[in-house]
């Protein structure tokens, strides 16, 4: 859970080709009145509030209270198929599943939705992406109070997008992020705000030229291919962020075996994951063969790196087709040996630098190396 601290006001913007939308990172009582004013300024006749069963009632009630000061509100479940008309503003309140559902209710070609993500994966990844032809949101607002009620252990794995971005997009932030990561997942709101801001800056650096994330911005899928293989294996204790962590290590080992990534950069992956507190071996009872069986034909299309922040380009693509032998070599990096699966991590120090930069420094746009 996050540690409460003073008001936070950070403004960022995502640019994805011709589309652009603001991202507000907020905390504090005054920010809630701002939400009312922002929605009122959009001039909607009605508001359709789309939410899911996993959103705490206290959050839904608070959002309803402030939205109703701006316009009449109709709450609907994410499973609803009620389309919005031209005079209706769709507001999505929830995690990734809810935000994905919002796109189905928004009027095609009409006004975009307002997204109020309630989880870290949604704040740092889903709500910022226009991949899959999602409608362009009018606003993404990361209200940090939503994170106060996350289940114990949900914050740490929820930062997978931050760690992925540092490795694949903005290695200039490696030392700062490494110094601030905590294996126990306890962060103040200012620290979480800076992490979210960095994720926004990293994404817009790539999507400004690749809005659908099919070219260089496919680097934002670094580590995800293996994570997606692990999901159907039914490992209930493995959160998606931890599956991505394992995917990062597998991709790093594959690239090392191909000779595109050196030993120091592979070790930098492991060191950052240790500071993050993520697992570094497959959870029992999953084996390398289980993962290979889950892969179609025993192969996978992985994002690999030539170096930190330098996606490998294979045949003009940012993803590389990895055969069974190479995928097995990559999985060897996370195969269980003598150590048990450690979800707490070691929290050892970073070799690439230390220090605790301020939230203002953390939230500045990262230096990003473009893929060749």
């Amino acid at each position: 859970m996050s540690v409460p601290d003073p008001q936070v006001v950070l403004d960022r913007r995502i640019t994805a080709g011709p589309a652009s939308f603001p991202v507000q990172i907020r905390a504090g009582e005054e920010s809630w009145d701002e939400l009312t004013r922002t929605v009122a300024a959009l001039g909607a006749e009605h508001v359709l509030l789309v939410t899911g069963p996993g959103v705490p009632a206290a959050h839904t009630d608070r959002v309803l209270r402030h939205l109703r000061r701006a316009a009449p509100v109709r709450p609907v479940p994410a499973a609803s198929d009620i389309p919005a008309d031209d005079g209706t503003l769709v507001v999505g309140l929830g995690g990734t599943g809810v935000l994905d559902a919002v796109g189905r209710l928004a009027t095609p070609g009409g006004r975009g939705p307002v997204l109020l993500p309630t989880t870290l994966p949604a704040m740092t990844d889903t709500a910022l992406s226009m991949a899959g032809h999602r409608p362009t949101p009018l606003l993404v607002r990361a209200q940090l109070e939503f994170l106060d009620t996350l289940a114990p252990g949900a914050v740490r794995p929820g930062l997978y997008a931050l760690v992925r971005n540092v490795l694949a997009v903005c290695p200039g932030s490696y030392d700062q992020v490494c110094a601030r990561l905590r294996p126990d997942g306890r962060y103040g709101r200012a620290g979480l705000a800076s992490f979210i801001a960095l994720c926004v800056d990293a994404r817009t650096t790539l999507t400004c030229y690749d809005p659908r994330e099919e070219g260089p911005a496919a680097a934002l899928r670094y580590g995800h291919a293996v994570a997606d293989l692990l999901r159907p294996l039914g490992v209930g204790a493995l959160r998606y962020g931890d599956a991505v962590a394992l995917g990062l290590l597998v991709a790093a080992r594959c690239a090392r075996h191909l000779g595109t990534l050196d030993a120091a950069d592979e070790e930098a992956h492991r060191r950052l994951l240790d500071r993050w507190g993520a697992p570094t071996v497959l959870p029992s009872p999953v084996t390398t063969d289980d993962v290979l069986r889950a892969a179609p034909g025993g192969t996978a299309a992985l994002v690999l790196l030539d170096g930190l922040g330098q996606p490998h380009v294979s045949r003009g693509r940012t993803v590389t087709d990895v055969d069974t032998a190479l995928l097995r070599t990559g999985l060897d990096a996370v195969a269980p040996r003598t150590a048990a699966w450690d979800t707490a991590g070691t929290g050892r120090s970073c070799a690439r630098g230390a220090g605790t930069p301020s939230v203002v420094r953390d939230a500045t746009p990262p230096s990003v190396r473009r893929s060749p």
Side-chain angles (χ1 to χ4, degrees), residues 1-371:
M1 296 177 65
S2 61
V3 180
D5 51 12
Q7 176 173 313
V8 172
V9 178
L10 282 176
D11 292 292
R12 289 293 188 270
R13 178 168 288 273
I14 288 285
T15 299
S20 181
F21 55 90
V23 180
Q24 297 177 346
I25 306 167
R26 298 290 191 268
E29 285 298 324
E30 294 181 9
S31 67
W32 287 93
D33 293 332
E34 179 194 32
L35 175 62
T36 300
R37 295 192 300 270
T38 299
V39 172
L42 295 175
E45 297 175 8
H46 302 87
V47 173
L48 204 63
L49 178 64
V50 183
T51 189
V55 179
H59 296 332
T60 303
D61 292 345
R62 193 172 191 182
V63 169
L64 277 171
R65 187 165 64 252
H66 286 274
L67 291 180
R68 282 172 172 154
R69 295 175 184 173
V73 182
R74 180 182 180 182
V76 297
S80 172
D81 58 359
I82 303 171
D85 57 36
D86 291 339
T88 300
L89 172 66
V90 177
V91 177
L93 174 70
T96 293
V98 170
L99 301 191
D100 285 343
V102 164
R104 300 195 305 268
L105 300 181
T107 305
R111 76 166 80 205
V114 169
L115 303 181
L116 304 177
T118 58
T119 66
L120 274 169
M123 291 180 183
T124 59
D125 207 12
T126 313
L128 309 179
S129 176
M130 293 189 60
H133 302 283
R134 291 186 176 103
T136 304
L138 294 173
L139 168 69
V140 172
R141 185 182 177 95
Q143 194 74 40
L144 300 180
E145 285 90 339
F146 293 151
L147 303 179
D148 293 343
T149 55
L150 291 181
V155 171
R156 183 196 54 74
L159 289 172
Y160 71 83
L162 171 73
V163 174
R164 174 203 68 202
N165 292 344
V166 167
L167 293 171
V169 184
C170 50
S173 297
Y174 185 103
D175 291 348
Q176 292 183 357
V177 171
C178 195
R180 302 196 69 170
L181 285 172
R182 296 175 54 98
D184 63 8
R186 291 183 60 83
Y187 300 97
R189 288 179 183 162
L192 290 172
S194 70
F195 290 162
I196 296 167
L198 189 148
C199 289
V200 176
D201 294 335
R203 187 171 226 104
T204 198
T205 300
L206 296 179
T207 59
C208 61
Y209 299 111
D210 183 17
R212 299 304 178 188
E213 302 174 17
E214 298 169 344
L220 297 166
R221 292 288 299 166
Y222 188 48
H224 287 251
V226 171
D228 292 340
L229 293 178
L230 290 170
R231 297 183 78 177
L233 296 180
V235 187
L238 186 68
R239 292 181 180 270
Y240 186 69
D242 288 337
V244 171
L246 296 172
L248 296 173
L249 294 177
V250 171
R253 178 59 57 84
C254 288
R256 173 89 186 281
H257 188 76
L258 285 176
T260 67
L261 193 73
D262 63 25
D265 282 346
E266 184 184 12
E267 175 60 21
H269 281 64
R270 195 167 292 273
R271 187 175 299 114
L272 192 64
L273 264 63
D274 281 345
R275 290 287 298 177
W276 178 25
T280 56
V281 297
L282 292 171
S284 178
V286 177
T287 66
T288 294
D289 287 337
D290 290 332
V291 182
L292 288 172
R293 281 192 291 268
T299 65
L302 305 186
V303 176
L304 302 179
L305 300 182
D306 290 334
L308 299 187
Q310 298 176 322
H312 177 69
V313 176
S314 174
R315 300 177 182 177
R317 300 166 61 225
T318 315
V319 294
T320 299
D321 293 324
V322 172
D323 62 22
T324 301
L326 182 55
L327 184 56
R328 182 180 292 277
T329 297
L331 288 166
D332 283 345
V334 296
R337 291 182 172 81
T338 57
W341 182 39
D342 176 16
T343 58
T346 63
R348 63 185 177 184
S349 298
C350 299
R352 297 175 70 91
T356 306
S358 67
V359 63
V360 175
R361 287 184 59 195
D362 266 10
T364 55
S367 59
V368 179
R369 303 180 195 174
R370 299 188 184 277
S371 58

